[in-house]
Amino acid sequence: MIVAGCDVGSLTAEAVIMGDEEILSSEIIGVRPKPEQSAQDVMDKALEKAHLALENIDYCISTGYGRERIPFARDNISEISCHGKGAHWLIPSVKTVIDVGGQDCKVIRVDAAGKLQNFIMNDKCAAGTGRFLEVMAKTLEVRLDEIGPLSLLARNPVVITSVCSIYAQTEVAASIAQGADQHDLAAGITRAMAERVKSLVTRVGMEEDVVITGGVAKNTGVVKSLEGMLRVSTKRFTVDPQIVGALGAALFSKEKLLQK
Amino acid sequence: MKEKAAQASFPQALYRIFGMLSGTPLTVKEGKGMMRTLPAMSAMIETFMLEPHISEVGLPFLEMSSSYLQNLSNAHKEGKKIAFENFNFPPAILYAMDIVPVSPEVISSFLSIGVPKGIFRFLDYTTGIGISDTMCTAQRGGVGVILSGLIEKPDMVLNMASGSCDTNSKMFDFVSEYLDIPFCNIDAPPYWDEGGEMIRYYQKEYRKLVAFLEEQTGNKLDEDKLRQCCTQAKKQDEYVAEIYDLRRAVPNPVPAVFNLMMFGTRFMSSGTPQATKVMETMYEVVKERYKKGQGVLPKERARVNLVYLSHFTMGGEFWRWLEHNGISLMMEGLTLFNHQHYTIDDTSTVDSMLDGLAGQAHNMMMTKQIRGPLDYSGQWFEDTATIAKDLNIDCAIYLGTLGCKNTWGGIKVLMKMIEEELGIPTLIIHSDAWDDRVTPWPSIRDQIEEFINTVVVL
Amino acid sequence: MELMEKLVELAKTLSNPYVEGWREKGGKVIGYSGTYIPEEIIYAAGILPYRIGGREATKVTIADMYFGPVICNYVKCLLENAADGRFDFLDGAIITYECDHMRRIFDVWRRAAKDGNARLPAFFQYYGLPHSRGGHATNLLMAETQRLIAEMEKHFGVEVTEEGLRNAIKVYNKTRKLLKKLYELREKDEVPVTGTEALGIVVTSTVMPKDEYNKQLEKLLDELGKREGITGRPRLMIVGSVNDDIELVKLIEDLGALVVADSLCYGVRGFWNMVEENEDPLQAIVTRYWEHIPCPRMYGEYSRRYSFVRDIARSGKVDGIILEHIRFCDLHGTDNALYGRDLEAEGIPTLRLERQYGPLADSGRLKTRVQAFLERIGR
């Protein structure tokens, strides 16, 4: 049995191909103008990696922002359920999934079987999403992936109070002008980010084990800051956290197939 | 000498204030932490303490604030009930019944003015428990402090925002449900009058309040205690009236920050001798300045009516900036007590006293003028027109909070009316009076400066 | 089902052939803002009571000129409709203090008209509502109602008689009973009417003469008695802010759910309570409107609302409740925080949905959340 999951978001698209028990291949790409194109593209690449063709796929479920527009998907399921599912498969003890993406942020509660229990999303505001980090990285004139490592070497984290990215930018720029240390600023930024995420977590509650997924999960500074605030040690995935949604979709595909 | 004394007792008062905020005695570690933040209190010290004519009132005001928190902390130990009530609820009646008031708006203001970036985590706490972020920061800060257990849990909720503010009222509704404590609604009727059906309705609501308080405390209202509180409240009103008249002078001799202290005094301690002392001192200082022709520095270039709120952050820098930039704060919304429309004169019977207090409450800011359509009797436009005429206003500025649906629903129309019918320029600023994260103070200040320079001062 | 389609279609627009026909015959129309305004007194004056809504608005540009940034979209759309001429058929409008957003429309509409941006109906009244209960409150409300009647009589040259009121009560109680019957059908295991249809039927009740409406609804109920019912879908209830837009319910139902119950003002809260027919008619009317299932504007009455919601949820055998509120609606937003806590504690799954109303509706966001909720409740 070969199944697939396809996650088409607003910034990136992922595909995961699974066999009976294991991941055969996965792929991540930046989105194309149309969701159908993104889906096709990322799926083709994943298939190529696995030396398979689309016909070999027994069932495919789509998820994400563009999930309704994927022609080769038999069904679509919310990215919320898919993230919960995927995270649970990777770490069966997981009960809380914190997904911090490029443009949104979600906190997902699952039960012992990986079934969705509750969730909350912020998809209106840049605060607490990857976008915030992007804006800050530009202001700091560093690469996005440098922010994490820089923040870990801070001695005196700057406190950034603005929740809105626009004002935070001004705050950071002002701090730079006053000679604030780059490490301290990076730490202030990751901390501000973590605070926004924490605020979402409190609304839906947290139960261990906790895992952080999404693009921002790669930012060690944010992860550490958030762990400190929530007083929890989060688990780490062994795979790229960005594919968790597509992985969940693939797992749901498997379930659907087995039901038939 | 005065300055030294000021600097000596202020940290102590502040220490007590924040010690009370923690609810429990500070540990050495916490105390050290508090002292580390004290240098950051320099803004507040500057606003309330450094200039002798300000500190004369500032000191007793800060002591009164400290007592307010101390009373709160000791209330249950002393067997008293704590009433969660709104800023626009003059608490004389509560003091008369040995009930300790706590107003979330007062707590929010202590935090947003006194503690750098201090209100934020409490605002965030409220959203964390599911309160919408569109609710007013005026309540959210204090509610965050109370619901997170840092202050004694109140025993009852008294809502005097009914009729003028849904958001405030709904927060109070929520707190009563969340903490499972009794709720009493004191409703301002849909229209305003003096001596008519509306005030009579309100007097009945006020009686309902007293009955509720008697039930909650298990004590009957004591006529003598009530008389004492009413006598003090009346004295305070007299000072308010005198100061109002002195504002007419050019330059206006009332320092901007006195407005905060005037309404702060009423909100926290109306009816107490401590409040009378603050008002008396304030009046004396203002009178002196009037005699000497003293006003804002370097000289008065604009007489501003803040139609609603001012800005409660950064140690009170807002008032200090106005004072040193030639901008006279003629009236700010919260100081508009409309003393001309009621009196607490008749202290002969319980009924006459309750009617007096009801009259005072009926005319409080928010209660009086935003309960009905803008152009109706005693409503927002009429009040603004009265101030414009009495105090010779150059311009009207709106500073509010994003939580205020009522005023944001009507302010643009109000400002048009003011420009057309009163012939003065107006400015609306998008900001939040308690949360600088919405619009930072420098941005607000620059907009006001620009407006004064280019529009007002011709 | 032709009759069903016709009735639901009428809900999509503001004006309709019934309103037009009424006016052609020389009839007058008075708009009203919500469920606290006693329609019967308007009916008794021989005037058509018409609930003004926000649907059909495609933008809020004029509204944004007058309202601040934190005002509810529904109210903005109401004003925009007035600005765009969609309420030009009104001879009068009565605005009441349902909430801080709605009450300011009384000021804003007048100003917009003064500026030439909207047409103000010739008869334009504010109906003041208190917030506390008690004899003095009902007296105040009665005086205010009498004032409103007097103004209406004077302006339109009509008379509101006791007889007229009694008759109005009969007609309106009939509507209420019929709507209750409709809602009872939705409680069955096999539901013969979708939530989308039900909302359409309710909205239509607010925009056409009740006598005619009652006839049509009776017929419809008869037809529904023979209609095949729907089963096998997750049964949902909607609670929260005003909604006259059937697209919202359609969005939810298109995801595979069936909305079988609500606690909404275009819904159960609008028709649940009858007017007593054996008392002084004006007194009975004022009492009914004042004491009907309260909107969150009545502070301190959460328990009453909660019991109502929970009971409706139980009779509807709902699988989950959507607690929606329009952004900036603090009345429903705050109640929903409490409902969420208490319903979940009783084992009823809930979804809190903060949304925009109307033309700025954010359907993508809503779909994701509702879909996830349906996945959560496992149906």
Side-chain angles (χ1 to χ4, degrees):
Chain A
M1 166 182 59
I2 298 179
V3 291
C6 188
D7 181 355
V8 183
S10 42
L11 291 180
T12 59
E14 293 80 37
V16 166
I17 302 179
M18 284 192 80
D20 284 323
E21 297 296 329
E22 71 293 4
I23 297 174
L24 298 175
S25 73
S26 67
E27 182 61 65
I28 307 170
I29 61 166
V31 291
R32 309 283 179 257
K34 290 194 176 160
E36 310 87 78
Q37 289 171 307
S38 307
Q40 196 64 65
D41 239 343
V42 74
M43 185 56 84
D44 284 344
K45 291 195 160 75
L47 286 166
E48 207 185 306
K49 270 188 179 170
H51 307 295
L52 292 168
L54 196 59
E55 304 83 69
N56 303 131
I57 307 294
D58 295 317
Y59 205 101
C60 176
I61 285 181
S62 63
T63 185
Y65 172 72
R67 66 187 177 282
E68 289 175 328
R69 310 252 295 273
I70 314 308
F72 54 79
R74 291 273 282 275
D75 207 352
N76 74 79
I77 291 181
S78 77
E79 59 262 44
I80 294 160
S81 290
C82 288
H83 268 93
K85 192 81 172 170
H88 185 265
W89 185 82
L90 291 167
I91 304 170
S93 60
V94 122
K95 295 268 178 18
T96 309
V97 182
I98 303 174
D99 173 35
V100 191
Q103 295 198 326
D104 69 22
C105 180
K106 320 185 245 304
V107 182
I108 302 161
R109 296 284 304 273
V110 294
D111 64 15
K115 188 168 180 304
L116 180 66
Q117 275 200 306
N118 208 352
F119 66 93
I120 190 161
M121 272 181 91
N122 159 37
D123 50 6
K124 271 201 141 150
C125 173
T129 73
R131 181 101 193 87
F132 179 78
L133 288 178
E134 261 180 55
V135 169
M136 292 298 113
K138 277 213 186 77
T139 314
L140 221 52
E141 291 183 330
V142 300
R143 284 195 326 268
L144 187 54
D145 60 12
E146 287 178 288
I147 295 217
L150 279 173
S151 74
L152 296 174
L153 297 171
R155 297 248 195 93
N156 249 330
V158 169
V159 177
I160 295 171
T161 53
S162 307
V163 289
C164 176
S165 314
I166 301 168
Y167 288 123
Q169 223 176 342
T170 316
E171 241 188 295
V172 168
S175 294
I176 293 173
Q178 284 163 14
D181 178 75
Q182 217 180 35
H183 304 92
D184 294 340
L185 279 166
I189 288 163
T190 53
R191 208 194 142 76
M193 175 82 177
E195 262 170 5
R196 295 295 111 231
V197 176
K198 177 192 169 207
S199 147
L200 264 184
V201 176
T202 28
R203 287 180 58 185
V204 83
M206 176 186 83
E207 204 193 322
E208 293 190 59
D209 284 327
V210 181
V211 72
I212 303 179
T213 92
V216 176
K218 295 174 183 167
N219 184 316
T220 41
V222 176
V223 171
K224 234 177 141 42
S225 214
L226 191 54
E227 284 180 331
M229 281 179 201
L230 296 173
R231 290 184 232 260
V232 76
S233 271
T234 62
K235 298 285 178 208
R236 301 276 188 269
F237 288 132
T238 49
V239 302
D240 189 328
Q242 276 190 283
I243 66 158
V244 173
L247 171 60
L251 289 162
F252 277 122
S253 300
K254 188 171 151 189
E255 268 178 24
K256 284 273 160 116
L257 210 52
L258 290 174
Q259 268 169 18
K260 280 172 188 272
Chain B
M1 181 63 200
K2 242 188 192 162
E3 214 169 295
K4 248 195 162 163
Q7 284 178 332
S9 64
F10 174 72
Q12 212 186 12
L14 196 57
Y15 180 88
R16 275 192 297 159
I17 288 175
F18 296 110
M20 294 313 116
L21 268 182
S22 314
T24 53
L26 293 173
T27 62
V28 171
K29 188 169 167 207
E30 287 166 16
K32 284 201 173 141
M34 196 60 67
M35 295 306 289
R36 255 204 304 275
T37 65
L38 268 180
M41 302 281 142
S42 59
M44 197 163 156
I45 293 172
E46 235 186 301
T47 303
F48 291 92
M49 309 296 301
L50 286 194
E51 291 170 276
H53 68 285
I54 305 277
S55 70
E56 243 191 278
V57 185
L59 265 179
F61 177 76
L62 283 170
E63 269 213 56
M64 185 180 63
S65 306
S66 184
S67 303
Y68 183 85
L69 288 164
Q70 196 152 24
N71 290 343
L72 197 51
S73 187
N74 295 337
H76 287 150
K77 289 182 218 138
E78 291 172 5
K80 296 183 184 174
K81 300 278 186 189
I82 297 175
F84 180 88
E85 40 83 52
N86 339 64
F87 69 98
N88 63 329
F89 183 128
I93 182 69
L94 299 177
Y95 289 114
M97 297 183 73
D98 266 329
I99 297 170
V100 175
V102 63
S103 150
E105 296 90 356
V106 166
I107 306 293
S108 292
S109 304
F110 282 162
L111 284 173
S112 62
I113 296 171
V115 186
K117 303 173 182 178
I119 198 177
F120 301 146
R121 68 185 168 113
F122 295 108
L123 295 176
D124 292 349
Y125 181 87
T126 59
T127 52
I129 59 172
I131 293 174
S132 175
D133 64 341
T134 60
M135 297 284 271
C136 184
T137 47
Q139 289 87 48
R140 275 169 55 212
V143 167
V145 172
I146 292 166
L147 296 188
S148 60
L150 288 183
I151 269 183
E152 290 284 318
K153 178 181 159 186
D155 302 295
M156 64 187 96
V157 175
L158 313 172
N159 179 34
M160 215 177 241
S162 179
S164 37
C165 184
D166 276 338
T167 303
N168 191 324
S169 297
K170 213 55 192 165
M171 178 64 94
F172 274 54
D173 198 357
F174 179 89
V175 168
S176 119
E177 290 292 334
Y178 194 83
L179 295 178
D180 198 18
I181 54 182
F183 177 87
C184 179
N185 201 47
I186 307 108
D187 183 37
Y191 309 108
W192 177 89
D193 66 21
E194 225 177 307
E197 283 307 312
M198 298 300 140
I199 179 62
R200 278 196 280 277
Y201 170 93
Y202 198 72
Q203 285 162 352
K204 293 213 173 74
E205 285 286 289
Y206 208 83
R207 298 296 190 288
K208 182 181 89 180
L209 164 69
V210 172
F212 176 85
L213 296 175
E214 286 180 330
E215 195 194 314
Q216 293 304 310
T217 57
N219 299 325
K220 276 254 157 260
L221 172 62
D222 181 312
E223 185 171 336
D224 288 327
K225 275 199 181 136
L226 182 63
R227 188 164 288 116
Q228 280 168 35
C229 291
C230 283
T231 308
Q232 296 298 325
K234 178 175 150 57
K235 282 206 180 96
Q236 289 150 27
D237 277 347
E238 281 162 13
Y239 291 125
V240 167
E242 298 281 357
I243 291 169
Y244 185 85
D245 284 335
L246 289 170
R247 288 178 196 268
R248 297 173 199 255
V250 178
N252 162 32
V254 181
V257 76
F258 278 21
N259 288 289
L260 166 74
M261 296 202 273
M262 203 183 312
F263 63 71
T265 300
R266 175 171 288 205
F267 297 166
M268 285 191 275
S269 315
S270 152
T272 64
Q274 221 177 5
T276 309
K277 186 86 182 66
V278 173
M279 290 309 298
E280 183 184 20
T281 313
M282 189 183 293
Y283 167 64
E284 296 296 335
V285 171
V286 170
K287 203 170 67 176
E288 269 307 296
R289 285 169 61 81
Y290 166 71
K291 286 197 192 135
K292 294 184 184 149
Q294 288 170 329
V296 288
L297 300 168
K299 88 189 232 11
E300 187 177 271
R301 58 190 179 115
R303 293 165 72 92
V304 173
N305 176 22
L306 284 180
V307 296
Y308 201 50
L309 301 175
S310 42
H311 199 70
F312 302 92
T313 69
M314 309 205 43
E317 194 180 309
F318 174 74
W319 295 284
R320 202 159 23 92
W321 176 76
L322 291 174
E323 197 69 10
H324 293 274
N325 279 277
I327 303 172
S328 268
L329 184 47
M330 302 311 300
M331 179 60 68
E332 79 179 84
L334 294 178
T335 336
L336 188 57
F337 299 146
N338 276 294
H339 57 278
Q340 310 95 322
H341 293 285
Y342 68 91
T343 170
I344 313 182
D345 254 347
D346 187 355
T347 56
S348 52
T349 65
V350 168
D351 264 327
S352 67
M353 288 191 276
L354 289 181
D355 283 346
L357 290 177
Q360 184 188 56
H362 195 238
N363 285 285
M364 284 290 278
M365 173 57 184
M366 197 173 82
T367 311
K368 176 179 189 277
Q369 64 280 96
I370 60 169
R371 70 170 73 171
L374 300 168
D375 53 347
Y376 276 32
S377 172
Q379 298 307 289
W380 211 359
F381 178 72
E382 193 179 282
D383 272 9
T384 313
T386 306
I387 295 165
K389 189 184 66 158
D390 285 352
L391 304 180
N392 192 11
I393 307 288
D394 292 325
C395 60
I397 299 178
Y398 174 81
L399 282 172
T401 96
L402 290 191
C404 190
K405 316 305 185 298
N406 188 345
T407 62
W408 271 116
I411 187 61
K412 290 185 185 180
V413 176
L414 178 75
M415 290 316 212
K416 278 186 212 270
M417 290 167 75
I418 290 173
E419 288 182 359
E420 283 167 15
E421 296 179 47
L422 303 179
I424 58 177
T426 69
L427 172 68
I428 296 173
I429 295 183
H430 288 228
S431 62
D432 192 293
W434 284 270
D435 187 356
D436 269 349
R437 296 178 299 184
V438 170
T439 306
W441 159 243
S443 170
I444 299 169
R445 180 197 62 211
D446 290 347
Q447 288 180 64
I448 298 176
E449 180 68 35
E450 176 84 20
F451 173 68
I452 302 283
N453 288 340
T454 61
V455 179
V456 181
V457 180
L458 290 163
Chain C
M1 279 206 77
E2 253 183 63
L3 180 55
M4 172 68 87
E5 272 168 35
K6 189 183 95 168
L7 284 177
V8 172
E9 198 61 29
L10 289 169
K12 294 183 183 168
T13 56
L14 290 172
S15 190
N16 60 59
Y18 290 101
V19 173
E20 284 158 25
W22 177 271
R23 292 186 72 234
E24 263 156 42
K25 294 199 205 103
K28 304 288 182 192
V29 187
I30 292 182
Y32 65 91
S33 58
T35 60
Y36 274 88
I37 290 172
E39 280 184 69
E40 281 89 328
I41 65 176
I42 303 170
Y43 180 100
I47 300 172
L48 175 62
Y50 175 98
R51 184 170 176 181
I52 52 178
R55 57 199 183 280
E56 282 207 71
T58 53
K59 57 176 177 60
V60 286
T61 42
I62 306 277
D64 277 340
M65 283 167 55
Y66 293 96
F67 283 121
V70 296
I71 299 304
C72 154
N73 239 82
Y74 179 75
V75 165
K76 284 191 185 176
C77 286
L78 269 180
L79 185 75
E80 203 72 10
N81 281 333
D84 287 346
R86 283 184 282 272
F87 289 141
D88 282 0
F89 61 85
L90 292 176
D91 300 290
I94 304 167
I95 308 294
T96 192
Y97 187 0
E98 265 112 13
C99 67
D100 281 337
H101 308 261
M102 188 63 83
R103 54 107 136 244
R104 282 299 171 208
I105 243 201
F106 183 71
D107 297 293
V108 167
W109 195 338
R110 284 183 297 152
R111 179 73 211 194
K114 185 170 176 193
D115 292 341
N117 286 324
R119 183 187 161 273
L120 192 72
F123 177 75
F124 196 64
Q125 287 290 321
Y126 186 75
Y127 182 57
L129 280 186
H131 282 86
S132 279
R133 303 285 187 190
H136 58 300
T138 32
N139 288 344
L140 187 147
L141 190 56
M142 179 57 94
E144 182 69 353
T145 310
Q146 282 163 335
R147 180 191 71 79
L148 184 63
I149 293 174
E151 298 277 3
M152 199 172 48
E153 289 178 325
K154 191 170 98 188
H155 179 95
F156 290 100
V158 295
E159 208 197 327
V160 172
T161 62
E162 194 177 301
E163 176 81 36
L165 289 172
R166 284 197 194 281
N167 185 41
I169 292 170
K170 283 208 176 71
V171 174
Y172 272 73
N173 273 351
K174 178 139 194 223
T175 311
R176 294 174 182 122
K177 289 193 185 105
L178 290 172
L179 285 171
K180 263 192 164 168
K181 279 216 174 89
L182 175 73
Y183 270 56
E184 274 162 27
L185 292 176
R186 300 171 76 190
E187 290 177 356
K188 295 161 78 135
D189 290 332
E190 296 180 11
V191 187
V193 53
T194 67
T196 310
E197 290 169 333
L199 178 59
I201 295 167
V202 168
V203 171
T204 297
S205 78
T206 67
V207 297
M208 62 182 280
K210 288 288 194 293
D211 295 82
E212 181 56 36
Y213 178 78
N214 288 349
K215 282 196 202 119
Q216 308 232 9
L217 184 52
E218 242 172 339
K219 232 170 92 195
L220 181 69
L221 285 171
D222 210 41
E223 287 179 22
L224 284 175
K226 305 167 195 133
R227 205 200 214 187
E228 179 115 18
I230 305 167
T231 55
R233 293 209 224 155
R235 298 166 69 98
L236 297 184
M237 177 176 180
I238 302 180
V239 172
S241 301
V242 63
N243 181 48
D244 65 341
D245 181 9
I246 64 176
E247 292 303 314
L248 175 64
V249 185
K250 187 165 183 304
L251 180 151
I252 294 168
E253 292 192 315
D254 279 350
L255 290 166
L258 187 67
V259 176
V260 301
D262 66 57
S263 177
L264 298 168
C265 62
Y266 274 104
V268 127
R269 287 194 279 110
F271 61 78
W272 196 252
N273 307 88
M274 302 290 141
V275 176
E276 277 297 327
E277 293 191 25
N278 295 321
E279 292 175 9
D280 171 76
L282 186 59
Q283 189 70 57
I285 290 169
V286 170
T287 303
R288 182 265 171 203
Y289 278 87
W290 182 229
E291 296 184 359
H292 77 290
I293 295 295
C295 146
R297 79 176 296 276
M298 300 307 295
Y299 321 123
E301 301 190 357
Y302 170 74
S303 323
R304 184 177 165 199
R305 281 192 295 278
Y306 178 73
S307 305
F308 181 74
V309 166
R310 195 209 36 220
D311 291 347
I312 297 275
R314 287 210 183 121
S315 2
K317 290 166 290 209
V318 305
D319 299 306
I321 300 184
I322 294 182
L323 303 168
E324 54 87 9
H325 74 276
I326 298 173
R327 182 148 173 84
F328 305 118
C329 178
D330 292 330
L331 291 180
H332 286 281
T334 307
D335 258 20
N336 287 354
L338 295 165
Y339 282 140
R341 176 192 71 165
D342 295 338
L343 290 165
E344 293 275 356
E346 288 206 47
I348 303 176
T350 64
L351 170 71
R352 280 198 68 184
L353 213 54
E354 185 196 72
R355 63 181 180 97
Q356 282 288 39
Y357 167 88
L360 307 173
D362 34 5
S363 51
R365 281 181 73 238
L366 295 181
K367 274 192 205 166
T368 303
R369 286 162 168 77
V370 175
Q371 186 173 7
F373 181 61
L374 293 173
E375 289 158 8
R376 173 197 158 187
I377 61 181
R379 314 288 244 86

